[in-house]
Amino acid sequence: MSEKELGKKWDRCLADGAIKFGTGLGLGIVLSVLFFKRHTWPISFGSGAGLGMAYANCQNDLRSHYMLHRSEKEQ
Amino acid sequence: MAAKILPVVKLATKVTIAGGALYVAYDSGLLGSGEQGSEALGKAKAAIPPAIEEWMKYFGLQLPTMPKIEFSPVQSWNSGVRWTISSLSEAPTKASDYTSQGLQYIKDLTK
């Protein structure tokens, strides 16, 4: 993986993390206000879940260079 | 009769709003892979100035134009890293030079 590719992957990871954190935060706020009587825990749960999704995406992305993909499998 | 249906209606409204929020998040690719997320971010960034224009026209105000800030945090960080590493690598040589100069000065004093 060249340096440029790696840099781009990290950029994507950070942007993705920010987006998923914000989305989780928003959904957590909506759920907290609507269903959970304005407690704080849905908000932290949502943002944590967002960060976790971003982490998993980033891990997959960084590993994909070293994995064998289905399209490259030879008969 | 209305008092009996009201809790159900409230619950149905809440579920609709929550479900709508979830659907919007899913549909705009916010919960997908990294590339979808950065696409959505790009679209949002591109859509902000026209949206602000619309709002300004609606309210009849005029926001002062943002001054173009020529500051790049990436450039600053990179140059900072380079400066640190180069000064660390030159430090032993410079230290020995300064000590030898200091010793020479003291020797000259005591001559």
Side-chain angles (χ1 to χ4, degrees), chain A:
Chain A
M1 199 163 22
S2 66
E3 282 264 351
K4 223 175 175 185
E5 257 180 71
L6 185 63
K8 283 209 182 90
K9 283 192 196 226
W10 273 113
D11 285 344
R12 270 206 303 264
C13 279
L14 286 178
D16 194 35
I19 288 175
K20 292 206 163 53
F21 179 75
T23 308
L25 195 72
L27 280 177
I29 290 177
V30 165
L31 286 177
S32 157
V33 162
L34 285 180
F35 292 115
F36 295 112
K37 302 191 184 94
R38 308 217 175 157
H39 281 270
T40 320
W41 67 262
I43 303 179
S44 14
F45 182 81
S47 9
L51 283 176
M53 283 197 275
Y55 185 90
N57 274 355
C58 193
Q59 196 177 39
N60 207 7
D61 197 13
L62 288 170
R63 276 186 191 165
S64 70
H65 182 79
Y66 301 104
M67 305 277 229
L68 196 63
H69 296 281
R70 188 181 290 260
S71 50
E72 298 156 6
K73 243 165 88 166
E74 280 161 347
Q75 292 299 329

Side-chain angles (χ1 to χ4, degrees), chain B residues 29 62-63 108:
Chain B
Q62 260 300 26
L63 262 187
D108 288 344

Side-chain angles (χ1 to χ4, degrees), chain B:
Chain B
M1 164 86 165
K4 279 195 197 154
I5 301 183
L6 192 61
V8 177
V9 169
K10 257 173 72 174
L11 185 66
T13 321
K14 285 185 185 177
V15 167
T16 317
I17 296 177
L22 267 173
Y23 177 72
V24 164
Y26 171 72
D27 192 48
S28 49
L30 291 175
L31 298 171
S33 71
E35 284 112 21
Q36 287 176 313
S38 39
E39 255 181 73
L41 190 67
K43 272 192 271 177
K45 261 192 184 170
I48 284 182
I52 293 188
E53 288 278 334
E54 288 280 336
W55 277 101
M56 285 303 117
K57 271 194 275 185
Y58 187 68
F59 282 119
L61 292 171
Q62 260 300 26
L63 262 187
T65 48
M66 289 265 300
K68 261 227 139 241
I69 305 176
E70 290 287 335
F71 180 72
S72 165
V74 175
Q75 285 291 86
S76 328
W77 176 264
N78 286 349
S79 66
V81 169
R82 268 184 242 124
W83 180 84
T84 312
I85 300 296
S86 69
S87 47
L88 276 177
S89 75
E90 288 166 15
T93 324
K94 273 196 184 158
S96 67
D97 279 347
Y98 285 147
T99 27
S100 60
Q101 272 182 23
L103 287 175
Q104 190 64 32
Y105 177 71
I106 293 177
K107 269 193 213 159
D108 288 344
L109 283 181
T110 55
K111 266 203 194 119

